Amino acid sequence: MRTLITNIKELIQVRETPIAKVSGTEMALLPKIENAYLLIEDNLIAEFGKMENLPEISVDKTIDATGKVVLPTWCDSHTHIVYAGNRVQEFVDRINGLSYEEIANRGGGILNSAKKLNETSEEEIYNQSKLRLEEVMQQGTGAVEIKSGYGLTVEGELKMLRVIKKLKENYPVAIKATFLGAHAFPTEFKENHSGYIDVIINEMLPKIAEENLADYIDAFLETGYFSIEETERIMEAGKKYGLTAKIHVNQFTAINGIEACVKHNALSVDHLEIVTDEDIEILKNSQTIPVALPSCSYFISIPYTPARKMLNAGLPLALASDFNPGTTPSGNMNFVIATACIKMKMTPEEVINAATINGAYAMGISETHGSITKGKRANLIITKPITSYYQLPYAFGTNLIDEVIIEGKVI
Ligand SMILES: N=CN[C@@H](CCC(=O)O)C(=O)O
Ligand SMILES: [Zn+2]
């Protein structure tokens, strides 16, 4: 099957030579071709170039993109899309003055979602979660990482990971599964942290490996959650099963957690609302990519990741949604990029790099996703007619997406 997209006003994020990620000042550059065509063969990008160089070819379908921008679909490297129910009451409690921490201390927060998840059948969780996946696909997401972490029991964690596996099987979007058993301590292990970590290492991980249910391992390294030493135990155990770490860290406090993650070759460190100069130094010269989650900062009113400071220091940065019931009940990457421009003072070029090629890197899929490169997956957003790609973050709240193509097919 050959599909030809013609008369593209701007074909953006064009990388003739494949790259893994972009860092520092490179993030300000977003290569593009004006008045372009792009040829899709089956599920791959086969050719692209200027309209004037379009060769004579026979195709099965032509899409006229006059006035429209074409770019790679969003690569959302950090979500918790699989969950049961919602946490609307906590939303109202926060409006009335309670903080995220106060709600968690009352047994709300992650433990609230864990209770709901353990009471809900696998089929029902799948049915609720697939609606969120379908929604973000329509919003232009073509690759997504999904975490467990609302089970916190052997059965609960396996149930979540099996739902992620089923989503992988049934949807064309690229999905990476991350095991986040170390998301919070269940109440019965509140005073016995090592006991719960033993359950993670000796009971959960072997079963997950046996069923091949996870690609990565995560922990919530934070004051009041998992300490550096506890997170190190988790990362080391994961490594034994071939699971590279992607760690929640520096969301509320900076406790030198980033150093431990870099030491253990984490693929990404995520959140980073609070970042010290030492953290930035440590991230330099590492292969670990920082991931910012601006919708979370927006929703629970916490600081935004200091993107400018990090980019000025030469670091790469990825942007992801953090879609979850507690701190970010939205997976809309269009809102993520707009918020990063508006609140983090990133430029349109930087946010698009952060949400495509760098997001792909943060999921370990930049060889196949995240740019317009021959041989990569034909995962594309075709916008409505717009003046330029600047309009995407500018017109926040307006749906400017006309069509989404995943694996070569309009969805
Ligand atoms: N901070 C840790 N985990 C999630 C939120 C968990 C929740 O409140 O349900 C996050 O990334 O924001
Ligand atoms: Zn998260």
Side-chain angles (χ1 to χ4, degrees):
M1 169 85 181
R2 293 173 120 201
T3 305
L4 179 66
I5 310 176
T6 57
N7 302 312
I8 303 166
K9 181 173 184 164
E10 293 179 313
L11 178 64
I12 66 170
Q13 188 59 300
V14 174
R15 305 282 176 175
E16 311 257 356
T17 316
I19 49 162
K21 63 175 185 312
V22 280
S23 308
T25 52
E26 293 164 353
M27 287 191 63
L29 306 173
L30 190 66
K32 66 171 180 178
I33 302 175
E34 288 176 3
N35 194 23
Y37 75 89
L38 184 141
L39 177 67
I40 299 169
E41 255 174 30
D42 298 326
N43 62 337
L44 302 177
I45 297 171
E47 277 295 344
F48 52 83
K50 285 194 88 65
M51 274 307 281
E52 64 217 44
N53 299 328
L54 173 62
E56 217 159 276
I57 36 175
S58 65
V59 294
D60 303 288
K61 182 180 171 184
T62 303
I63 300 174
D64 181 5
T66 300
K68 301 175 179 182
V69 170
V70 173
L71 68 155
T73 49
W74 306 126
C75 296
D76 187 355
S77 68
H78 181 136
T79 83
H80 310 249
I81 278 179
V82 170
Y83 59 83
N86 63 47
R87 306 231 295 268
V88 287
Q89 187 53 49
E90 293 179 13
F91 170 61
V92 176
D93 291 344
R94 262 199 319 280
I95 295 169
N96 288 324
L98 286 186
S99 68
Y100 181 79
E101 193 181 4
E102 285 163 339
I103 291 167
N105 290 342
R106 293 175 166 200
I110 296 167
L111 295 186
N112 180 358
S113 285
K115 185 168 181 291
K116 289 190 168 79
L117 187 122
N118 281 293
E119 289 167 357
T120 308
S121 72
E122 189 173 315
E123 194 188 351
E124 174 60 19
I125 296 164
Y126 176 82
N127 288 335
Q128 292 182 18
S129 305
K130 77 172 190 177
L131 297 179
R132 289 185 278 271
L133 185 64
E134 288 167 6
E135 180 187 30
V136 299
M137 285 165 66
Q138 292 299 336
Q139 292 166 341
T141 296
V144 65
E145 180 256 20
I146 310 176
K147 300 170 191 297
S148 67
Y150 291 125
L152 310 181
T153 57
V154 177
E155 272 319 306
E157 287 297 308
L158 287 171
K159 186 158 74 173
M160 288 189 78
L161 290 164
R162 288 181 189 134
V163 169
I164 300 173
K165 187 177 178 187
K166 215 191 276 180
L167 292 171
K168 267 191 204 189
E169 287 162 1
N170 294 347
Y171 287 87
V173 62
I175 296 179
K176 289 288 175 187
T178 299
F179 169 49
L180 176 55
H183 200 186
F185 287 98
T187 313
E188 58 274 33
F189 288 101
K190 207 170 166 217
E191 305 303 329
N192 178 16
H193 283 195
S194 66
Y196 181 57
I197 295 170
D198 287 343
V199 172
I200 291 176
I201 295 175
N202 302 327
E203 297 181 44
M204 295 179 185
L205 264 173
K207 291 212 174 71
I208 290 165
E210 200 181 293
E211 288 187 45
N212 199 13
L213 291 173
D215 303 295
Y216 296 106
I217 190 159
D218 194 349
F220 188 14
L221 200 178
E222 183 57 69
T223 307
Y225 291 83
F226 289 76
S227 68
I228 292 182
E229 294 71 27
E230 289 164 349
T231 305
E232 285 188 312
R233 271 191 75 194
I234 303 287
M235 291 191 281
E236 279 157 20
K239 218 177 276 174
K240 292 200 180 115
Y241 292 97
L243 304 181
T244 302
K246 285 168 65 64
I247 302 291
H248 281 74
V249 66
N250 287 45
Q251 182 175 6
F252 302 113
T253 57
I255 53 170
N256 300 324
I258 290 177
E259 186 176 14
C261 298
V262 168
K263 193 173 92 193
H264 286 82
N265 299 314
L267 176 59
S268 69
V269 282
D270 301 39
H271 271 291
L272 314 187
E273 286 85 346
I274 311 294
V275 181
T276 66
D277 292 345
E278 291 73 40
D279 291 327
I280 291 177
E281 279 310 306
I282 286 156
L283 283 168
K284 281 187 195 169
N285 304 317
S286 83
Q287 295 305 310
T288 304
I289 190 166
V291 179
L293 311 166
S295 302
C296 172
S297 300
Y298 175 83
F299 189 70
I300 62 167
S301 303
I302 59 173
Y304 287 86
T305 301
R308 284 265 57 91
K309 204 171 162 184
M310 295 165 74
L311 298 187
N312 291 345
L315 296 182
L317 187 67
L319 288 166
S321 73
D322 199 18
F323 199 171
N324 77 76
T327 68
T328 323
S330 160
N332 190 340
M333 287 294 285
N334 306 286
F335 180 78
V336 169
I337 61 153
T339 307
C341 285
I342 297 160
K343 296 292 185 186
M344 294 159 67
K345 303 287 174 226
M346 292 174 73
T347 64
E349 291 79 11
E350 288 169 341
V351 296
I352 292 172
N353 273 316
T356 56
I357 190 67
N358 283 3
Y361 179 87
M363 285 186 267
I365 57 168
S366 54
E367 279 186 13
T368 48
H369 293 77
S371 67
I372 305 295
T373 305
K374 273 186 215 171
K376 279 200 181 184
R377 299 308 161 90
N379 283 12
L380 307 162
I381 292 172
I382 305 177
T383 70
K384 294 175 180 162
I386 53 177
T387 50
S388 82
Y389 63 83
Y390 282 10
Q391 223 178 318
L392 288 174
Y394 161 81
F396 82 97
T398 299
N399 177 15
L400 293 176
I401 296 180
D402 188 15
E403 282 183 310
V404 179
I405 294 177
I406 298 182
E407 295 280 336
K409 292 202 182 85
V410 175
I411 57 148

